[in-house]
Amino acid sequence: MLAGLPAVDFDRLLGVLTWLRSNPDSGLYVRQLPIRGVDTKWVGAHRGLVERLHAAATGAVSLGLAAVPDLVRARFLDPGLAPGGLDDIAATVASLAALEIAPRTVYVFENLESVLAMPPIPGAVVIHGSGYAVDRLAGIPWMCTALIVYWGDLDSHGFAILNRFRASGLSITTALMDLPTLELHQDLCVTEPKPAAGIFSHLLPGELDMVAELAARGNVRLEQERLDWSHALSVLRAAAPHRQSLSMGEAGTSCVRAWSVVCSVVAQPAGLDLGPRQSSVRAAEPKYTTAAGGLGAQGASRRRASLGDVGRRSQPGTRSVVQVHSETAHSSAPMRRHPGSPGTTVN
């Protein structure tokens, strides 16, 4: 690549490398670099080359530049949950995690247009999952008191993203990602150019069946924005539990305490299985459900998670998730199960 670099770009590259060597920890953003002859976009366009040469010359693992904050788009569908009355925000995970709210439903959608289309719904928040970046949402403690409803594209990548989301340890219900939805909108399907590959160890049996069905039909894709909106909205509304949101005193404080303990357990090499069955922090008998053309249409996709399975791989000296649940349930701010929580079935 260096051989094909124009002379003017070679001079710019030399200038950038020289400046970075002299300022190893500048903390500046990439477009703030005060290097003569280098415009604000040049380093960004050639960053891969710059990083490789800088590492080879200095042994540094980074350029010492500041990272652009990773923002999450969130809409608060209930005015009572909106921080300072702001119902549509883009914030860091840390900022969202600091909010003292306890929604009873958190919708997570793969695509932004679906997020923007959601109307007001009592007790609900909708978050843009941003595709494969969805697992970052596991750092938001108040999600653990809510029913999480994930809706992605009905294609192999939609299920790969769901698999990644489940791997974060959250208990997740899906909506509009099953055979009845596919059959109802089959005329809107297109061919997926490059299907996702890999082992989806966190998908449920019914979801794995859907991945196989999509492949059998020629790797079809049904983008979520193309669904009949009135039908999609009716399913999404029906997935939300109909009960007043838990107060922070009832749930939020206890959730934060439980979240901290779970994170400390995960950080230890204890061999604890925190896969798709890790939902007992919130419910004694967790169960995954699928909201489809009619709620629960994919009955085969539901299965019960055993508390014994959750803590089976725990090593001596560590606390299982079941123990965390037991401790937080008897704290000064006890959590209470409620209809529509991950411990109940939506029907």
Side-chain angles (χ1 to χ4, degrees), residues 284-300:
E285 296 180 9
K287 186 187 294 184
Y288 296 109
T289 61
T290 299
L295 291 178
Q298 282 284 82

Side-chain angles (χ1 to χ4, degrees), residues 230-247:
S230 61
H231 167 75
L233 183 57
S234 67
V235 173
L236 294 168
R237 282 184 181 277
H242 303 288
R243 185 182 184 275
Q244 186 176 359
S245 300
L246 296 176
S247 68

Side-chain angles (χ1 to χ4, degrees), residues 40-109:
T40 59
K41 297 181 181 179
W42 190 91
V43 178
H46 298 81
R47 183 158 186 161
L49 177 61
V50 171
E51 287 178 338
R52 291 193 297 273
L53 293 177
H54 181 65
T58 66
V61 296
S62 75
L63 301 181
L65 304 177
V68 176
D70 188 14
L71 301 181
V72 177
R73 185 74 173 269
R75 294 186 59 231
F76 301 87
L77 306 182
D78 184 333
L81 297 172
L86 299 176
D87 61 1
D88 190 341
I89 66 173
T92 63
V93 168
S95 295
L96 290 175
L99 295 178
E100 294 189 347
I101 60 174
R104 55 180 191 266
T105 307
V106 176
Y107 296 104
V108 179
F109 297 163

